[in-house]
Amino acid sequence: MRLHDTAAGAVRPLQPAGDPVALYVCGITPYDSAHLGHAFTYHVFDVITRRLRAGGLGVRSVRNITDCDDDIFRTARRRGVDHAVLVAEQVARFDAEMASIDVLPVDAAPYASRHVPAMVDWISRLATADFAYAREGWVYFDVSAFDRYGDLSRLGRDRMLVLSRERGGDPSDPRKDDPLDFVLWQPSLPDEPAWDSPWGQGRPGWHIECSVLAREFHPDGVDLHGGGEDLVYPHHESEIAQAEAVGPHPFARHWVHVAMVGLDGTKMSKSLGNLVFVHDLLRSAPPAAVRLLFAAHHHRRGWDYHAGLLDQAVERLRAYRAACASDARFDPESAAALERGFFERVDDDLDTPGALRVLDEAVAGLRDGHGAGVRSAALVPRLLDVVGAGLGLASARAAGA
């Protein structure tokens, strides 16, 4: 499998250090429902997992839960609920939505709040090695001490400052030596959870959790680390700095980022109220169609959702189900060519749109037949399972779909 590596800026072979492949994907901050963009991201890493397993490799997948965060506490205050209740409610909703479209369960989903002592230890190591400094109960990472800061994102300082401000940082914080320095530890407000630390009671910053959790759950290093492209800076850039400043280099061997999803030409955002959720799509289409909708888009190209795209996915699913419900067969050579062409596209930077086009062409040329050959009902569902769209196809013939 060849995948675009953000750190290298090029498509290159995925070369895991061993088996199972160590996969770490940044998870949700559970204060509101996950939208279509989130679902597309987790679909992408689910397809990678399925393809690796189909090729005979094991995968140990870890996806954290950021349950100690400013957005959670603000939302809980606004709604007048305990933050732990809000987290439990949203995690359950997220898990149900991912299961509803057959995203495979991860092997571990650690809550950040349950690993704070390990984060305190890591921050202490950074401070001892002069990569961090404390001010008034706050601790900051000193980006000037890490000469590779910016290598992942390749951004200039001015752009970093803009994105830091947009994505939860505070470049104007007067306690910082440099506006780009980021928070490792901060004092807790009276209604927020707090832990003991050398700098007083408080809680960790956002970035430190993934550096620590990835190392805890993948002690031999991360083979593939990823998330949405909005995490490249500052989150993943800062993860690398924290991890490699006092730990092994490289922190992750391959970085994959997923492009954003918009709605009718506008970026989805809570502030605009233009979010589409998985449960909205499932009101008018089966789960396999939702996965085909996702698979029709390349993970590195942003796209806009509109209802017509779901209609196209439903039609595509109908054609696949019709092929499986018939007694149509591929001759052995055609079956081998289909399988080879399908996997070649998936293995080429996860070109799922190309893989579906290969399958479309093969299915369009099918004719009912008897005798020797590979039944479409045996081959097509197996290929679709790799893109997460096999749900329900195995029983399509019996159901007369």
Side-chain angles (χ1 to χ4, degrees):
M1 176 180 280
R2 299 169 67 252
L3 292 167
H4 187 271
D5 178 8
T6 306
V11 175
R12 66 180 188 86
L14 176 63
Q15 297 176 314
D19 187 358
V21 177
L23 172 64
Y24 187 96
V25 180
C26 287
I28 61 167
T29 301
Y31 67 96
D32 207 343
S33 297
H35 57 67
L36 198 60
H38 298 121
F40 180 58
T41 294
Y42 299 122
H43 152 84
V44 167
F45 291 99
D46 183 66
V47 173
I48 292 173
T49 298
R50 288 168 179 269
R51 174 60 186 115
L52 291 171
R53 289 177 176 169
L57 282 173
V59 178
R60 174 164 170 73
S61 58
V62 179
R63 185 178 66 218
N64 68 303
I65 298 171
T66 301
D67 64 330
C68 185
D69 181 86
D70 291 340
D71 287 327
I72 291 173
F73 303 136
R74 279 194 294 265
T75 302
R77 290 185 196 108
R78 187 175 70 249
R79 297 183 186 179
V81 300
D82 185 271
H83 71 273
V85 173
L86 175 64
V87 166
E89 171 191 285
Q90 294 303 325
V91 169
R93 180 176 294 178
F94 170 79
D95 287 345
E97 290 220 333
M98 293 303 99
S100 73
I101 55 171
D102 204 25
V103 170
L104 298 171
V106 294
D107 295 291
Y111 286 71
S113 64
R114 300 174 188 176
H115 298 266
V116 173
M119 297 177 207
V120 171
D121 178 67
W122 199 277
I123 296 168
S124 296
R125 292 171 60 191
L126 289 168
T128 299
D130 293 328
F131 284 99
Y133 58 92
R135 298 272 164 78
E136 303 173 21
W138 295 69
V139 184
Y140 301 91
F141 186 91
D142 180 2
V143 298
S144 69
F146 188 75
D147 59 10
R148 295 192 301 278
Y149 196 76
D151 282 3
L152 178 70
S153 61
R154 298 180 181 83
L155 296 174
R157 180 179 177 84
D158 289 347
R159 184 59 180 159
M160 285 184 181
L161 287 169
V162 170
L163 291 178
S164 177
R165 185 173 288 107
E166 289 178 356
R167 296 172 178 174
D170 183 7
S172 61
D173 183 345
R175 290 175 292 263
K176 293 182 178 182
D177 286 346
D178 185 310
L180 289 179
D181 292 347
F182 55 87
V183 175
L184 296 168
W185 187 262
Q186 64 190 83
S188 298
L189 294 178
D191 63 343
E192 297 174 352
W195 290 265
D196 292 330
S197 83
W199 319 284
Q201 284 211 323
R203 58 184 177 89
W206 172 31
H207 309 307
I208 190 66
E209 70 175 271
C210 286
S211 298
V212 171
L213 292 174
R215 184 60 63 187
E216 280 199 357
F217 284 84
H218 293 310
D220 296 326
V222 179
D223 291 312
L224 178 59
H225 194 320
E229 66 178 7
D230 57 332
L231 296 182
V232 175
Y233 188 85
H235 187 52
H236 288 163
E237 192 76 70
S238 301
E239 268 191 68
I240 292 171
Q242 296 162 150
E244 294 184 359
V246 292
H249 171 69
F251 166 56
R253 300 178 185 94
H254 207 116
W255 288 88
V256 170
H257 291 95
V258 181
M260 300 292 99
V261 180
L263 175 65
D264 297 325
T266 304
K267 179 183 176 181
M268 287 190 195
S269 72
K270 293 181 176 66
S271 60
L272 294 175
N274 65 339
L275 301 181
V276 177
F277 302 100
V278 169
H279 58 258
D280 295 326
L281 304 186
L282 292 177
R283 291 192 184 102
S284 54
V290 175
R291 294 300 293 268
L292 289 175
L293 164 68
F294 292 160
H297 295 88
H298 195 280
H299 74 284
R300 288 200 293 119
R301 301 188 187 100
W303 55 283
D304 289 337
Y305 173 76
H306 58 82
L309 294 176
L310 186 59
D311 293 339
Q312 292 170 19
V314 170
E315 285 302 311
R316 191 172 231 158
L317 177 61
R318 186 172 290 121
Y320 295 157
R321 283 182 161 170
C324 294
S326 71
D327 196 38
R329 296 169 186 262
F330 297 97
D331 65 72
E333 280 190 14
S334 297
L338 168 56
E339 188 164 2
R340 183 171 58 253
F342 185 91
F343 283 115
E344 281 176 353
R345 298 319 317 143
V346 174
D347 290 345
D348 184 12
D349 198 23
L350 215 67
D351 180 14
T352 54
L356 293 184
R357 287 193 295 271
V358 168
L359 186 54
D360 289 344
E361 185 176 342
V363 167
L366 274 176
R367 297 291 182 271
D368 280 353
H370 301 279
V374 179
R375 291 184 61 235
S376 58
L379 178 56
V380 172
R382 183 160 57 84
L383 298 181
L384 286 175
D385 185 65
V386 173
V387 296
L391 193 64
L393 284 175
S395 59
R397 183 178 173 85

